[in-house]
Amino acid sequence: MYTKDWISKWALYSPDKVALKELDTGRTYTYAQLNQAACHLAMALTHRHGLSKGERVMVMAEYSLEYVALFVAAQKTGLILVPVNYRLAPAEIDYLIGNCRPRLLIVEGQFEAKAQQLAQTTDIEQVWPLQMLESLCQQALAQPRACSFEALPLDEDDPIFILYTSGTTGFPKGALYTHKMLLWNSINTSQSLNLTSEDSTIVCTPPFHTGGWNVLLTPLLHRGGRVGLMKKFQADRVLQLLQSERADVFMGVPTMLKMMVDSPAFAQADLSATRYFIVGGEALPLEVIRTWDRKGVKIRQGFGLTEVGPNLFSLHQDDATRKIGSIGRPNFYVDIKLVDETGREVATNEVGELCLSGPCVTPGYWRDAEATATAIEDGWFHTGDLLRQDEEGYLYVMDRIKNMYISGGENVYPAEIERFLLTFPGVSEVAVVGVPDARWGEVGKAFIVARDIEMSTGALLSYCCANLARYKVPKYVELVAELPKSDTGKINKKALRASSV
């Protein structure tokens, strides 16, 4: 059985090496300090505050040294972290609290006003400001002797995260992310990207995404590398930091790379130390790939999902132009098949649903046996994504069965937005589709059938802004007399998309 307490090993092997750096403040943790802080947190959480293996700790915060130390403490104790998307509206966060029932909620200062609007906080036994976490870590580092905490015995299928992802029913589902998934994702990533303990990265994707934790942060900590943490993505600042920190690899979504190209700092940025960028979420336009190539930065397109991986496919940088639009080939410990509606595997260049198997597949959804049984059949996870595979084994995403669209790197599920829009007075029917957008990749367009022909679209959008995360708010609203329907009475979203091009 492998150890799940990675950082205690690196504290022994490379105690004085910098593991983490807050790029906004300059603060750092060496591997010894990270382990010391995590041991003290583990002791405080379990012995002083009574939390036990399997209990949930919900966090509403941006990245910090202490947040990562909490992750390391979870590796030692078996506590389950639930990172909250702090962009959600209070009612949306209330649903997550009711679903996972955390014993502890940790809130960063800037989100305290939102936390005070939560109806469900009265059901949480302990609510801490982030300063409490910071204070515990500071106490640990001030001690003359290292705190000792013997990691608890954990099963490889014990969860370390519950990562919420919206579903086609409109209600979020909590994907279980286990210690086994964490390990094998790191192995797949290290093998695919040739990561070593000498490598470094900058993380500016948020901690409520699996990509924020698991594309590069946890694989590099597993390898003993160095991770720079940013609170928010800022194109100019990222370009500056890639140069000054001499980052070896960097992960971003296409929107980020486009904004960096448009930055005034792009022309003068020296990125000679960076081997390549990893890009996920959607295909990067060829012209953007060529622009980065002229800059001397190679692009590696990838693909993954919260419930599996997330590092599942990789398109080698040498194939970025030749195989434009491809997500590459499966990583080493990932098994795939493409199947039709009957479950039969499709032939080369035929479109089929992507199914995945291997050690980085989730065991299921938190307290949702029905969703688990629907997604996982005979050990294969059914993604709902339609792909084709060419003669050389390269995969291409053709469509999303679930009608999800991606806006600025955020997954948006139309059913969730539609369910909400129907609560606005006067809305009779609604359909939401993703439409192309120059800045965000895709944005939402809502087609509304209103009982009142005088309905104000401005009032509708204000209602959305007050109750939904910004990236979920449709950019366009069109009032229509009726929605196109199929012979079976289902809304024809294909026709709606075609009318929006």
Side-chain angles (χ1 to χ4, degrees):
M1 200 66 165
Y2 58 83
T3 180
K4 302 164 189 69
D5 187 8
W6 298 347
I7 304 306
S8 65
K9 294 281 190 178
W10 286 112
L12 177 65
Y13 302 152
S14 306
D16 299 325
K17 181 177 181 180
V18 172
L20 300 169
K21 181 178 182 180
E22 281 186 0
L23 297 171
D24 298 309
T25 66
R27 294 194 306 142
T28 62
Y29 272 177
T30 65
Y31 273 100
Q33 290 172 323
L34 178 56
N35 189 59
Q36 172 73 348
C39 283
H40 192 74
L41 283 179
M43 187 76 72
L45 289 164
T46 58
H47 293 185
R48 194 186 314 167
H49 295 278
L51 275 71
S52 303
K53 171 188 169 184
E55 292 185 318
R56 277 74 63 205
V57 177
M58 181 175 276
V59 186
M60 191 187 305
E62 295 178 324
Y63 273 125
S64 65
L65 301 181
E66 293 79 14
Y67 197 167
V68 180
L70 180 65
F71 158 78
V72 179
Q75 285 190 303
K76 298 175 184 289
T77 61
L79 292 171
I80 304 172
L81 296 187
V82 187
V84 172
N85 184 343
Y86 37 74
R87 299 171 185 169
L88 297 176
E92 296 174 298
I93 298 173
D94 271 330
Y95 176 85
L96 305 185
I97 294 172
N99 185 255
C100 77
R101 295 296 176 186
R103 275 199 66 191
L104 171 63
L105 170 64
I106 300 173
V107 182
E108 189 175 359
Q110 62 179 311
F111 305 119
E112 285 180 2
K114 181 174 286 189
Q116 290 170 3
Q117 299 175 50
L118 299 174
Q120 295 277 8
T121 51
T122 54
D123 295 331
I124 302 175
E125 183 179 305
Q126 302 180 60
V127 179
W128 293 2
L130 186 66
Q131 292 95 317
M132 176 77 166
L133 200 67
E134 294 170 348
S135 177
L136 287 169
C137 291
Q138 289 167 5
Q139 290 172 23
L141 300 184
Q143 292 177 356
R145 296 181 59 185
C147 173
S148 176
F149 182 89
E150 186 173 348
L152 301 180
L154 303 176
D155 186 82
E156 63 181 9
D157 287 324
D158 288 334
I160 188 166
F161 292 114
I162 296 175
L163 299 170
Y164 277 94
T165 175
S166 297
T168 54
T169 62
F171 293 98
K173 297 179 292 185
L176 299 173
Y177 198 93
T178 68
H179 291 266
K180 179 172 73 174
M181 295 170 68
L182 195 72
L183 171 73
W184 286 97
N185 176 70
S186 175
I187 292 172
N188 270 329
T189 306
S190 299
Q191 195 148 337
S192 171
L193 301 180
N194 299 315
L195 297 182
T196 74
S197 60
E198 299 304 311
D199 284 330
S200 65
T201 192
I202 293 171
V203 173
C204 55
T205 44
F208 51 79
H209 276 178
T210 187
W213 286 104
N214 298 311
V215 171
L216 286 173
L217 194 159
T218 56
L220 273 173
L221 289 181
H222 185 214
R223 294 292 291 174
R226 187 177 83 252
V227 178
L229 301 172
M230 290 185 70
K231 296 281 189 184
K232 293 180 174 68
F233 170 78
Q234 297 172 308
D236 295 359
R237 180 76 171 138
V238 170
L239 287 166
Q240 174 194 339
L241 289 169
L242 286 171
Q243 176 176 324
S244 62
E245 297 294 316
R246 299 191 62 78
D248 298 280
V249 290
F250 173 75
M251 181 269 176
V253 299
T255 298
M256 292 180 181
L257 270 64
K258 294 173 189 173
M259 293 171 72
M260 290 162 71
V261 166
D262 293 337
S263 165
F266 178 77
Q268 299 302 318
D270 177 5
L271 305 181
S272 57
T274 305
R275 290 204 302 275
Y276 39 73
F277 286 176
I278 299 97
V279 182
E282 57 191 280
L284 195 62
L286 180 57
E287 185 50 42
V288 179
I289 292 175
R290 286 175 174 158
T291 299
W292 281 107
D293 186 66
R294 289 192 293 268
K295 188 71 175 173
V297 176
K298 301 294 185 182
I299 301 294
R300 291 194 67 142
Q301 186 79 34
F303 180 83
L305 55 153
T306 301
E307 296 90 339
V308 188
N311 296 324
L312 299 172
F313 298 84
S314 183
L315 180 68
H316 194 276
Q317 61 267 26
D318 292 345
D319 290 323
T321 300
R322 186 174 74 91
K323 291 290 185 177
I324 181 68
S326 172
I327 58 173
R329 293 166 167 153
N331 285 337
F332 204 88
Y333 295 101
V334 178
D335 295 322
I336 74 160
K337 63 179 179 180
L338 304 182
V339 301
D340 62 16
E341 296 86 347
T342 67
R344 176 189 65 85
E345 290 195 49
V346 301
T348 299
N349 282 317
E350 287 187 357
V351 175
E353 181 185 8
L354 172 65
C355 300
L356 297 158
S357 181
C360 49
V361 174
T362 182
Y365 297 100
W366 174 256
R367 293 180 177 172
D368 197 336
E370 182 179 352
T372 299
T374 299
I376 303 173
E377 184 177 346
D378 296 327
W380 289 91
F381 186 89
H382 290 248
T383 67
D385 291 311
L386 296 173
L387 276 69
R388 70 173 177 87
Q389 187 171 31
D390 69 15
E391 296 83 353
E392 297 179 73
Y394 290 81
L395 279 296
Y396 297 79
V397 179
M398 305 304 293
D399 199 358
R400 300 178 180 92
I401 295 174
K402 300 173 182 177
N403 290 317
M404 179 191 82
Y405 63 91
I406 299 173
S407 185
E410 298 278 2
N411 292 350
V412 185
Y413 291 82
E416 181 182 13
I417 316 304
E418 292 161 357
R419 179 170 60 88
F420 173 77
L421 288 173
L422 286 169
T423 67
F424 187 77
V427 173
S428 176
E429 283 188 293
V430 59
V432 176
V433 299
V435 297
D437 184 81
R439 182 174 188 185
W440 301 113
E442 291 175 290
V443 294
K445 180 174 182 178
F447 294 85
I448 304 287
V449 177
R451 288 188 289 270
D452 180 0
I453 59 173
E454 299 299 320
M455 175 182 285
S456 166
T457 58
L460 177 65
L461 286 173
S462 295
Y463 180 68
C464 291
C465 291
N467 293 280
L468 291 175
R470 177 180 289 184
Y471 65 86
K472 296 181 182 180
V473 177
K475 185 174 181 178
Y476 307 104
V477 175
E478 182 176 341
L479 299 178
V480 295
E482 61 181 6
L483 296 172
K485 306 281 180 62
S486 68
D487 292 338
T488 59
K490 293 183 179 180
I491 296 172
N492 187 343
K493 290 193 172 183
K494 185 177 181 180
L496 290 175
R497 290 191 196 94
S499 70
S500 301
V501 174

